[in-house]
Amino acid sequence: MEQCRFADRLEVNISVDEPCNDLLIPSLLIQPLVENALKHGMRADQKMVITINVEKTKSALLIKVADTGKGFDDNKKSKRGIGLANCEQRLKLMYGNSHRIEKGNAKSGGAWLCISLPINGLQ
């Protein structure tokens, strides 16, 4: 949907490793992360590239979302986005302390976020 809205100002690249095809993830987990990238990271005059990578390790499914936007605000007073907070709450309810969310800014610009989900909860 966002691709239609932003047309040539948005490029989305999705890569899912073959071993991940049989695993289930919570519905609407990735959508708010992409929407956050567009809402909070996209500058009016830029083309945004969003990359989504999904890969399996021995014990976890890694979902990585990265963008070429402004990056996370390092200001400690800045509010947390609703989309990320909702994702964190949902994952906490579903997986307890068995999941992990890490985020940061890329050296080349933009933000990245990685969600790690236990494999045993996805089969």
Side-chain angles (χ1 to χ4, degrees), residues 27-52:
S27 61
L28 299 175
L29 178 63
I30 298 173
Q31 178 191 359
L33 304 176
V34 171
E35 288 178 354
N36 272 1
L38 293 169
K39 181 177 180 180
H40 301 291
M42 189 174 204
R43 294 179 183 96
D45 61 340
Q46 87 169 116
K47 177 179 179 175
M48 173 80 84
V49 178
I50 297 177
T51 304
I52 302 167

Side-chain angles (χ1 to χ4, degrees), residues 14-25 53-57 60-63 119 122-123:
I14 301 172
S15 171
V16 179
D17 286 351
E18 182 77 25
C20 302
N21 289 341
D22 294 331
L23 299 176
L24 301 173
I25 65 169
N53 290 313
V54 182
E55 61 187 65
K56 181 180 175 184
T57 67
L61 180 74
L62 302 178
I63 303 167
I119 292 291
L122 303 173
Q123 299 172 330

Side-chain angles (χ1 to χ4, degrees), residues 56-62 98 100 116-122:
K56 181 180 175 184
T57 67
K58 287 183 180 182
S59 61
L61 180 74
L62 302 178
S98 297
R100 237 182 33 247
S116 175
L117 302 177
I119 292 291
N120 61 358
L122 303 173

